[in-house]
Amino acid sequence: MIIRILGEGQFRVADAALADLNSADDAIEKAVAADDQQALSQALAALHAKVVAAGQPVADDELEDSDLILPAADASVEEVRELLEESQEGLLPG
Amino acid sequence: MSGIFQRMSMIFRAKADKALDRAEDPRETLDYSYQRQLELLQKVRRGVADVATSRKRVELQANGLNTQIDKLNAQAKKALEVGREDLAREALTRKSGLQQQLGDLQTQHAQLQGEEEKLVRASQRLQAKVDAFRTRKETIKATYSAAEAQTRINEAFTGIGEEMGDVGLAIQRAEDKTAEMQARAGAVDELIASGVLEDQTGQSKDDITLELERLASTSDVETELAAMKAALSGGSASTPAIEGQGTASQPAADQGAQPTAAPTEAPGQQVNGQTQAAQPNTRENR
C-alpha cells in the first residue's frame, strides 16, 4: 500500500503495518472537530513517524497513485478541514 | 480503514479524473498535460526563489537588529562608565525590545528555511515524475491504439495528477507563508524607517548617543583645561595636548565651554564626541 504525506512524498507500507495507523484516524478527526491545533499536530507527527519508520520511500520516477493521503505535519486545523470539506461527503460538522 | 485519509485520496483522484474528462482524443491530452506539468515545474522553481528571497531579507534584518543590539549594549556600558544609570537603563530597555524582535525573526527564518527545503525536494520529485511521464507518454503514443491508450493514460495521469496536486498545495502554502513573512518584515522595516530603532530626532544619531557625546565632550574639555592649567604652571610645552598654547590660555578656556552646546547646533557633522570636542580647541589655538 502506498501512502503519501503531503509535502513529503510517497511511502510504500506493508499491509501488516497498517493496523497500527488506524487509531490515528480517530485522534485526527477529533482534533479537527474540537479545533485543537496542538492535538492535531501531535497526532500527525506521530502518524508520520510511524509511516516513515514502517515504509520505504517510493522512487521519484515511479508514477503510482497513493491509497492514502496524509496532511502535512504542520498543517493547521483549517487546512485539514478545508481538505476534508472538498470531499463530497462533508462528514465534518460546521 | 482510515476514513479521513481515504477521503483525501479520493479528492486527489477526483481532480485527476476531472482533468481527464476534458480530454477528447486521449493521446492529444498527453501533450497538453505534459505542458501543464512543465508549467507547474516552473512555478515550483519560482516558489523556491521567492522563499529564498524572503529568507535572505529576514537574514539582513536580523543582522541589522544584531548591530543595533550591540550598539545599545556599548551605549549602556559607556553610560555606566560616566555614572548615568538612567541612560544605561534606557539603552538596555530598548535592547530587550529589539531582542524580542530578533527572536521572532529567527523563528521566521527557521520556518522559511524549512519551507525552502521542502519545495526544493518537491521540485526534484516532480522533475523525476515529469520525466517518467514523458517517457511513458511517448511509449503510449507510439505503441497503443486509442482504446488501449485510454487505460494506460489513466494510469499515468493519476500518478502524476496526485504529485501535481501535492506540489500545488506546497506552493500555495509557501506563497501564503512568504506573504505573511513579507508583511511582518515590512513592519520591521517601517520600525527602522520611522526611527524607533535607529533615531528619534531625524538626525543620524539617537538620543542616547547624543547624550553620551555631550557628556564625553564635557569631560574632554575638563581634561584639556586641566592639562593646560598644568602646562601653564609647569612651563613644559612638549606634550601634543598643550602644543603652542602659551599665549592662548584664556580664549581656549572660553572655547572650551561651547562644545557642550554644539551637538544640538550641528549634530550631523559629528563623528564622535571626542573629535568634536577636541577640534575647536586645536583649531583656535594654531
Side-chain angles (χ1 to χ4, degrees):
Chain A
M1 169 173 261
I2 294 179
I3 300 180
R4 174 183 292 276
I5 301 175
L6 285 181
E8 309 281 342
Q10 293 170 300
F11 297 86
R12 192 168 269 120
V13 179
D15 288 352
L18 282 177
D20 208 22
L21 305 179
N22 263 326
S23 54
D25 194 19
D26 270 358
I28 287 168
E29 192 148 10
K30 262 184 214 149
V32 172
D35 233 343
D36 188 342
Q37 179 67 55
Q38 212 188 345
L40 177 68
S41 304
Q42 275 173 6
L44 284 175
L47 181 59
H48 290 184
K50 278 181 194 165
V51 171
V52 173
Q56 289 291 320
V58 172
D60 281 353
D61 58 357
E62 260 186 72
L63 284 178
E64 301 268 4
D65 52 340
S66 311
D67 300 292
L68 296 179
I69 295 182
L70 312 184
D74 58 348
S76 67
V77 170
E78 288 77 39
E79 281 173 309
V80 176
R81 188 174 291 145
E82 252 172 58
L83 283 170
L84 294 175
E85 276 172 359
E86 279 185 53
S87 73
Q88 306 89 327
E89 297 182 66
L91 187 135
L92 285 163
Chain B
M1 77 150 280
S2 296
I4 285 189
F5 311 133
Q6 220 122 37
R7 282 216 314 282
M8 288 186 56
S9 327
M10 279 161 49
I11 299 163
F12 277 81
R13 226 163 282 159
K15 279 181 180 165
D17 285 346
K18 227 183 252 173
L20 259 187
D21 285 345
R22 283 190 220 113
E24 284 167 23
D25 179 345
R27 279 174 294 187
E28 266 175 31
T29 51
L30 282 174
D31 292 326
Y32 173 69
S33 170
Y34 184 61
Q35 282 309 315
R36 289 208 32 224
Q37 291 160 27
L38 294 180
E39 282 165 21
L40 185 61
L41 258 182
Q42 286 293 324
K43 218 176 153 189
V44 187
R45 288 184 186 135
R46 271 203 305 275
V48 172
D50 283 351
V51 174
T53 308
S54 269
R55 174 179 54 77
K56 279 176 200 147
R57 186 172 178 198
V58 169
E59 272 165 26
L60 282 178
Q61 288 191 325
N63 286 344
L65 284 182
N66 263 325
T67 311
Q68 294 275 340
I69 287 170
D70 288 348
K71 190 173 131 196
L72 285 166
N73 230 356
Q75 284 180 338
K77 213 177 267 175
K78 213 165 156 190
L80 272 187
E81 276 165 14
V82 295
R84 286 290 302 273
E85 200 178 317
D86 57 329
L87 267 187
R89 195 179 300 275
E90 174 65 22
L92 291 179
T93 308
R94 286 184 201 176
K95 185 181 118 180
S96 90
L98 293 190
Q99 270 168 333
Q100 275 175 11
Q101 293 271 3
L102 185 63
D104 284 354
L105 280 185
Q106 279 161 345
T107 314
Q108 289 177 31
H109 185 258
Q111 277 181 17
L112 282 177
Q113 214 158 23
E115 223 41 59
E116 193 178 341
E117 282 161 15
K118 261 189 210 163
L119 273 190
V120 168
R121 282 202 304 273
S123 143
Q124 286 163 352
R125 272 202 306 273
L126 184 62
Q127 176 72 67
K129 286 211 183 338
V130 168
D131 290 345
F133 183 90
R134 193 193 55 216
T135 312
R136 207 182 278 194
K137 166 174 87 89
E138 293 312 319
T139 318
I140 292 168
K141 279 166 81 177
T143 320
Y144 299 94
S145 70
E148 280 169 316
Q150 187 65 66
T151 0
R152 305 264 160 186
I153 290 167
N154 271 326
E155 285 168 16
F157 259 133
T158 47
I160 194 90
E162 189 184 299
E163 190 70 38
M164 287 172 78
D166 188 354
V167 169
L169 277 177
I171 298 176
Q172 186 65 51
R173 286 167 65 88
E175 274 173 1
D176 289 352
K177 281 212 173 114
T178 314
E180 198 185 304
M181 303 284 166
Q182 273 167 349
R184 282 198 228 160
V188 173
D189 278 348
E190 238 166 71
L191 259 186
I192 295 171
S194 72
V196 176
L197 299 183
E198 189 70 41
D199 68 85
Q200 302 187 316
T201 55
Q203 301 163 347
S204 60
K205 294 177 177 181
D206 59 65
D207 51 351
I208 297 181
T209 306
L210 287 175
E211 179 72 9
L212 283 172
E213 279 175 4
R214 198 184 61 75
L215 290 169
S217 57
T218 310
S219 79
D220 281 352
V221 167
E222 294 306 323
T223 313
E224 205 157 348
L225 264 179
M228 281 178 195
K229 281 178 190 163
L232 275 179
S233 54
S236 163
S238 62
T239 54
I242 52 173
E243 204 172 15
Q245 282 168 1
T247 59
S249 63
Q250 265 325 100
D254 291 342
Q255 284 292 328
Q258 285 180 10
T260 52
T264 52
E265 289 166 15
Q269 296 167 355
Q270 298 172 22
V271 178
N272 64 49
Q274 285 169 347
T275 53
Q276 186 269 334
Q279 272 167 3
N281 283 336
T282 46
R283 229 182 278 132
E284 282 298 318
N285 294 335
R286 260 172 206 152

